[in-house]
Amino acid sequence: MIPVLGGSGPVIPSFGSGSSCEQNNGWWCTDWLREHWGDTLQPALVQHIELVAIAIAAGFLIASVLAIAGFRYRLLDVPVGGFADFLYTIPSIALFQLLVPFTGLTVLTVEIALTSYTLFVLYRNMVAGLRGVPEDALEAARGMGLTRVQTFFRVELPLASPAVLAGLRIATVSTVSIATVAAFVVPKGLGEPIFIGLDQNLFKTEILAAGGLAILLALAADVALAWFARAVTPWSRA
Amino acid sequence: MATQAAELVFDEATKQYPDRPEPAVDRLSLTVPAGEICVLVGPSGGGKTTALKLVNRLIPLTSGDIRIDGRSINDQDVTELRRSIGYVIQQVGLFPHMTVEANIGTVPRLYGRSRQWIRERTAELLELVGLDPSYAKRYPAQLSGGQRQRVGLARALAANPPLMLMDEPYSAIDPIVRARLQDEFLRLQRELRKTVLFVTHDIDEAIKVGDRIAILREGGRLAQYDTPENILLKPADEFVAQFVGADRALKALSLRTLGQISLRPGTWLDGLPQIDASTNLRDALGFLLAGGSDRAIVVDDDGNPLGTVTPEDIVR
Ligand SMILES: Nc1ncnc2c1ncn2[C@@H]1O[C@H](COP(=O)(O)OP(=O)(O)O)[C@@H](O)[C@H]1O
Ligand SMILES: [Mg+2]
């Protein structure tokens, strides 16, 4: 139950020595939140966003390369897609354990694991999006004299973008949630205050606040990406 | 960008798909004079689409040659060749993520035309195909089937190609809209005078649209290449006679209008039905038979009587 890999972080909350709410381990101690927003929650939130952003960016890049290859050369799709599926099925804690002997208790370990999890959704959606481009549009593009590269950038890519963006949205929201587990490896992200809270006789306010922030962050990312997708694909609402 | 119409020549053009017992197009030779509409017609699987796609090299020739204004298609850069040929297909193939204007501007953009040029050209073309210029900012999903087909035609015309390839452009459109689109296309063609290779499986459409008709039979062999009149009145063989139908004499009536036959000078009886001089003879006969009257007054565009007509005058 108690985290093993992360150890206790640098910031110990003033549980037990502050207000009566804190001493009684209340559900929502506003004075603790006010006092520790700046030294605990806000840095954890920023770290969390960083962990997720790097994983999504790396995952998007790798998945793009793989998806273009898997789309052009169908033979590649089965092994590549299968490998992405396989990575996705490994429980996150197991994946961390597997990586630690090689990359240590580092941010790199966390990013490798988080990136791996994004590949499945991103790759599958990208390939499905590219495959779903209507045949008649491709025929027209060819007949009008667009080269393969022009067809890809002007027709296939834009028409695949709703599926790609849907994949990006799912990957981002799920990575926000998985990234809390990163605190097993490094004392970073919103998982860290949760683990510390668990360590400190289940200090409820800290656990709830960090967990709540993770949920809010996931919701915010979801709404922002949905809005972005609508904004860049106005035709899909037509 | 080329502008004038081009002569199109099929010279023993043959397509043999690798895994097929017989060719899809078999030593097809025919010449489409510049500025004329040649309709390829025939039963399904007769090789019409294949023959059409040989021209813009969407399908490579197995043997023989195709020349546009004397120049072999294989001597030209394939993307250049395609950009210089208007291509219209049944499914239209508009790009769903582009506005009507962006769709129409596709080939001009490849030629480096400015936004301003494309905007003006789009307005001009929309008018030409019978759409209000305000449609420029719409997406394909916001158009009806007939409107999409009009935009498809405008897009194919955008770079003013000397040759147009049209593969069953109106086959998926309901009959009333189809008739209107055919009429508009013919009106437009009188103005533009493109060379057009037009594929259809519908003999009535072929008769209506074609300056010349090429009938392809199974195996991609040319059964007859002639004017609509000769196809109907002098079918080359039993296959052509069967294909154009037992009512071919009746169909031939649709080739001429009341204005083109001699009318009886008129005693204008009150109560006689009136009929437009631009009506074709087949429709006029139908009108007379259905109306229960054995005589009608033929009027010109302004409603002035020109004479009278009876069923006997038409079938004579
Ligand atoms: N890509 C292809 N590979 C093999 N056979 C084909 C291919 N495309 C068409 N065919 C065959 O060639 C013949 C002519 O087809 P098509 O040109 O589409 O005829 P149409 O347009 O007159 O219906 C048909 O028998 C069809 O099955
Ligand atoms: Mg066909």
Side-chain angles (χ1 to χ4, degrees):
Chain A
M1 297 306 274
I2 301 299
V4 282
L5 287 171
S8 45
V11 184
I12 308 293
S14 53
F15 174 52
S17 62
S19 67
S20 64
C21 174
E22 289 169 40
Q23 283 170 22
N24 296 322
N25 193 4
W27 285 102
W28 196 250
C29 303
T30 320
D31 44 352
W32 183 88
L33 290 170
R34 206 173 292 132
E35 199 177 328
H36 292 284
W37 167 257
D39 66 16
T40 305
L41 292 172
Q42 194 218 24
L45 178 63
V46 171
Q47 289 157 7
H48 203 86
I49 293 171
E50 277 172 14
L51 288 174
V52 172
I54 291 171
I56 290 294
F60 196 84
L61 231 93
I62 296 169
S64 299
V65 173
L66 293 177
I68 290 169
F71 170 62
R72 277 276 172 264
Y73 310 100
R74 279 183 175 248
L75 278 180
L76 283 179
D77 184 40
V78 175
V80 172
F83 184 65
D85 294 0
F86 165 73
L87 286 176
Y88 196 65
T89 59
I90 307 176
S92 48
I93 295 181
L95 189 53
F96 287 136
Q97 300 277 16
L98 282 172
L99 289 168
V100 165
F102 302 100
T103 48
L105 295 173
T106 61
V107 172
L108 182 63
T109 301
V110 172
E111 293 295 1
I112 291 175
L114 293 181
T115 300
S116 305
Y117 286 118
T118 67
L119 291 181
F120 164 75
V121 172
L122 291 174
Y123 175 83
R124 288 289 183 203
N125 274 47
M126 285 174 180
V127 172
L130 289 170
R131 294 250 162 89
V133 174
E135 199 49 52
D136 61 326
L138 292 177
E139 156 130 22
R142 241 155 63 83
M144 284 194 292
L146 271 73
T147 62
R148 272 189 94 139
V149 174
Q150 285 165 341
T151 303
F152 182 75
F153 285 104
R154 295 176 192 217
V155 181
E156 291 173 314
L157 204 55
L159 287 177
S161 62
V164 173
L165 292 173
L168 181 67
R169 196 171 148 202
I170 298 168
T172 305
V173 171
S174 61
T175 304
V176 166
S177 132
I178 299 171
T180 50
V181 186
F184 274 116
V185 180
V186 283
K188 282 185 183 301
L190 288 168
E192 177 62 10
I194 294 176
F195 285 158
I196 291 171
L198 290 169
D199 217 7
Q200 311 263 326
N201 284 340
L202 296 175
F203 179 47
K204 293 186 196 119
T205 297
E206 188 168 12
I207 296 168
L208 276 179
L213 277 176
I215 292 169
L216 284 179
L217 182 60
L219 282 175
D222 194 41
V223 170
L225 285 170
W227 176 85
F228 177 73
R230 274 174 67 92
V232 298
T233 60
W235 50 276
S236 63
R237 282 174 281 140
Chain B
M1 260 186 270
T3 45
Q4 293 306 301
E7 181 191 63
L8 173 66
V9 176
F10 286 80
D11 181 3
E12 298 279 299
T14 300
K15 178 62 192 183
Q16 170 75 58
Y17 289 110
D19 45 354
R20 291 279 164 160
E22 59 170 10
V25 174
D26 194 3
R27 286 164 293 155
L28 178 65
S29 291
L30 57 84
T31 297
V32 187
E36 289 202 2
I37 301 175
C38 167
V39 179
L40 285 182
V41 67
S44 177
K48 305 180 296 291
T49 295
T50 303
L52 180 117
K53 288 183 175 179
L54 288 174
V55 178
N56 62 3
R57 289 173 60 187
L58 285 176
I59 296 174
L61 274 165
T62 307
S63 66
D65 197 10
I66 293 173
R67 289 183 292 276
I68 299 170
D69 264 349
R71 200 160 159 228
S72 168
I73 53 167
N74 286 315
D75 292 346
Q76 310 183 36
D77 176 68
V78 68
T79 56
E80 267 313 305
L81 173 77
R82 289 175 186 164
R83 287 173 200 180
S84 70
I85 298 175
Y87 186 49
V88 181
I89 55 179
Q90 183 182 330
Q91 313 84 331
V92 195
L94 293 182
F95 304 132
H97 61 297
M98 292 185 189
T99 60
V100 165
E101 181 173 303
N103 266 286
I104 291 175
T106 305
V107 175
R109 244 186 343 268
L110 297 173
Y111 280 121
R113 293 292 188 177
S114 69
R115 266 167 195 274
Q116 178 64 22
W117 189 93
I118 290 171
R119 190 170 316 126
E120 286 165 12
R121 181 78 176 136
T122 300
E124 185 186 334
L125 285 165
L126 287 179
E127 200 137 341
L128 199 64
V129 299
L131 282 178
D132 191 89
S134 66
Y135 280 86
K137 295 296 170 208
R138 296 218 191 169
Y139 288 101
Q142 298 166 317
L143 305 177
S144 71
Q147 291 170 337
R148 267 179 234 169
Q149 197 51 262
R150 287 183 160 113
V151 173
L153 180 61
R155 181 173 70 172
L157 288 168
N160 205 7
L163 172 63
M164 302 277 291
L165 304 176
M166 305 177 73
D167 192 351
E168 309 233 8
Y170 307 133
S171 298
I173 310 274
D174 71 77
I176 293 172
V177 178
R178 185 193 309 150
R180 194 154 70 226
L181 289 178
Q182 289 164 344
D183 291 337
E184 287 174 7
F185 172 65
L186 289 173
R187 173 183 53 72
L188 196 143
Q189 166 67 0
R190 275 196 292 278
E191 221 174 289
L192 300 179
R193 289 268 154 229
K194 303 281 177 196
T195 307
V196 181
L197 189 63
F198 188 111
V199 163
T200 180
H201 62 265
D202 174 0
I203 185 68
D204 290 313
E205 183 170 63
I207 292 163
K208 179 170 180 183
V209 169
D211 295 312
R212 284 155 198 264
I213 296 175
I215 300 193
L216 286 183
R217 59 195 303 169
E218 299 84 352
R221 277 166 298 144
L222 184 62
Q224 187 169 359
Y225 180 46
D226 219 324
T227 61
E229 192 134 36
N230 284 341
I231 294 267
L232 289 169
L233 300 177
K234 298 174 200 149
D237 58 20
E238 198 47 36
F239 171 81
V240 175
Q242 285 272 324
F243 186 78
V244 297
D247 61 343
R248 61 179 191 270
L250 205 53
K251 282 176 175 149
L253 289 177
S254 65
L255 296 170
R256 288 191 300 162
T257 63
L258 287 173
Q260 291 168 306
I261 62 168
S262 52
L263 303 169
R264 294 170 190 241
T267 40
W268 318 126
L269 294 173
D270 273 346
L272 271 190
Q274 297 197 348
I275 185 164
D276 241 42
S278 63
T279 312
N280 74 50
L281 297 185
R282 187 183 183 180
D283 291 348
L285 187 61
F287 175 83
L288 285 168
L289 297 178
S293 163
D294 62 354
R295 189 182 283 257
I297 301 175
V298 180
V299 297
D300 68 10
D301 283 347
D302 302 321
N304 304 314
L306 301 172
T308 60
V309 68
T310 64
E312 293 76 36
D313 301 333
I314 289 173
V315 296
R316 194 170 47 212

